[in-house]
Amino acid sequence: MFRLQKEGWLDVEKIGRRSYYRVTDQGMRQFRHAESKIYLSEQPEWDGKWELLLLETVDKNERARLRKALSWLGFGQIANNLMAAPTHAQTDVPALLGELNASERVIYFRADYPYDRSAHQLRQLVADCWSLDAVAGHYHEFIVSFRPLMALLRDADDSVLTPQRCFQIKLLLIHFFRRVVLKDPLLPDALLPTQWEGQIARNLCINIYQRVDRAATDYVSALAETTIGALPAPGAGYYRRFGGLARDHATF
């Protein structure tokens, strides 16, 4: 918590011996970008169009900052000073450039892809520019680590899955899943290798999350508080995670 506060993600208010934390505006923007990637239920749909950002007029130091930020948001460098990403509804490029203070310096294009005969070369370019082999390897490690847990959860009695234990499982699950998915550009299926392990890992994560979510949420609600009392109930947006969460215990 101290590190997140020092890095500008959290503000703290001390009342007596207790510390109360809230997410800063800067932190909320980052959390919203991360949340939109972590809690998807499937790969985004694609209309075949591309977002292109030309960084030619940006100075060297600023260019490095923008490349790093844009890479985290799913853009790949397909040519010198040219970043690209497949168009999908989750990306509002003008708003994104505004958040990065780059609206006046980055030239923004939208491009079509009308020539099917170059599809193979495009997929190879995408695999290289977005380092898909490395991403697939991380997803494979996640699957190997958490698939045995799913088998245990299917057979576990509710008396074993205490709220505290469910919270621990949920915390570790999302911690390890986000480490992979935040490096995944979330490319549409048309640009991915066959038998992409990203969707397998996502389905595994969803199944485990749904099994432990209710008890884990009860644990947090009982343990934590605000400056004026008990935590409010999760909002409607929370229950839209992974395509929709049940408000009661899932059955397996």
Side-chain angles (χ1 to χ4, degrees):
M1 300 296 284
F2 178 77
R3 179 179 59 81
L4 290 172
Q5 181 195 349
K6 293 291 287 184
E7 292 178 356
W9 291 70
L10 300 176
D11 283 332
V12 62
E13 179 182 359
K14 293 186 179 293
I15 300 178
R17 299 179 63 184
R18 299 194 177 209
S19 296
Y20 295 88
Y21 295 88
R22 65 173 56 86
V23 182
T24 63
D25 290 342
Q26 169 196 330
M28 185 58 71
R29 288 193 295 270
Q30 297 285 358
F31 277 122
R32 284 173 176 160
H33 284 307
E35 185 179 41
S36 68
K37 296 186 71 171
I38 294 169
Y39 297 108
L40 284 174
S41 59
E42 57 189 12
Q43 299 295 111
E45 295 184 3
W46 187 41
D47 61 3
K49 298 183 184 297
W50 287 83
E51 314 283 6
L52 302 178
L53 300 178
L54 184 62
L55 310 183
E56 189 71 34
T57 60
V58 180
D59 67 62
K60 183 177 180 181
N61 292 336
E62 180 68 1
R63 197 178 305 150
R65 181 186 75 85
L66 288 174
R67 281 175 178 161
K68 182 177 180 181
L70 291 167
S71 295
W72 190 80
L73 295 167
F75 282 79
Q77 183 176 343
I78 63 171
N80 189 35
N81 298 328
L82 184 63
M83 306 290 290
T87 300
H88 55 76
Q90 285 80 13
T91 303
D92 183 344
V93 174
L96 177 63
L97 293 175
E99 290 179 13
L100 295 173
N101 297 317
S103 299
E104 302 298 325
R105 289 165 290 175
V106 173
I107 302 174
Y108 169 38
F109 301 93
R110 177 168 289 180
D112 289 323
Y113 174 65
Y115 189 58
D116 291 341
R117 292 194 177 186
S118 58
H120 175 75
Q121 287 78 10
L122 176 63
R123 287 166 71 101
Q124 186 58 54
L125 175 68
V126 166
D128 293 339
C129 292
W130 277 268
S131 303
L132 292 187
D133 286 345
V135 176
H138 294 315
Y139 274 129
H140 182 76
E141 292 175 4
F142 176 86
I143 294 167
V144 170
S145 297
F146 281 90
R147 185 174 274 161
L149 175 61
M150 187 68 251
L152 292 172
L153 289 173
R154 286 197 184 98
D155 299 330
D157 188 89
D158 285 347
S159 63
V160 177
L161 293 176
T162 63
Q164 183 181 36
R165 184 167 290 166
C166 286
F167 171 74
Q168 292 167 340
I169 291 172
K170 180 179 173 181
L171 186 68
L172 290 171
L173 173 73
I174 295 302
H175 172 66
F176 283 100
F177 185 64
R178 72 169 179 84
R179 292 175 66 181
V180 184
V181 77
L182 292 181
K183 297 177 182 177
D184 184 351
L186 295 180
L187 299 171
D189 289 335
L191 298 173
L192 292 172
T194 56
Q195 298 181 335
W196 177 243
E197 290 191 288
Q199 193 59 42
I200 298 171
R202 184 173 293 277
N203 290 338
L204 176 61
C205 182
I206 291 172
N207 288 334
I208 296 174
Y209 193 95
Q210 290 176 336
R211 182 69 172 97
V212 301
D213 172 63
R214 180 61 183 271
T217 301
D218 290 345
Y219 177 76
V220 173
S221 297
L223 186 69
E225 63 179 35
T226 72
T227 56
I228 59 173
L231 290 182
Y238 177 85
Y239 291 101
R240 289 194 289 270
R241 290 179 172 183
F242 291 128
L245 296 173
R247 294 175 183 253
D248 298 315
H249 285 290
T251 56
F252 284 76

